[in-house]
Amino acid sequence: PQAGAAAAAAPPRQEVVEVQATGEVRLGGDLVEVADLAATLEGLRATHPDLAVTIRGERAVSHGRMAEIYEACQAAGVRSVAIAVRSRATAARSSGSTRK
């Protein structure tokens, strides 16, 4: 018997949803309304069924707002959703603060 070349599995498409303390939500850097997020993610899933999403929120974003974004991902059928919150140290470095 001959072994054929194994097909290389393509990594899942990874998108980042950024949730800012100001209330703005960005998908891949583009401003998006929360009401439109599920539909937008569904569109991405049409061509990338293995779509993975990381929700990245600023420290001041409320739990309720993060849950709202998570629910939009679930409504779109995204199976792989991770949540990341910026720590104070990370926020200080990116804002140029040298607080000790």
Side-chain angles (χ1 to χ4, degrees), residues 28-80:
D30 296 327
L31 195 59
V32 63
E33 295 294 325
V34 176
D36 301 329
L37 183 58
T40 302
L41 291 172
E42 280 182 29
L44 289 172
R45 278 196 61 246
T47 55
H48 303 282
D50 58 348
L51 178 67
V53 173
T54 299
I55 303 168
R56 208 180 304 164
E58 290 184 344
R59 188 171 181 84
V61 174
S62 73
H63 175 76
R65 183 65 160 175
M66 293 295 282
E68 191 177 11
I69 303 303
Y70 183 82
E71 289 168 359
C73 293
Q74 285 187 318
V78 177
R79 291 184 170 182
S80 179

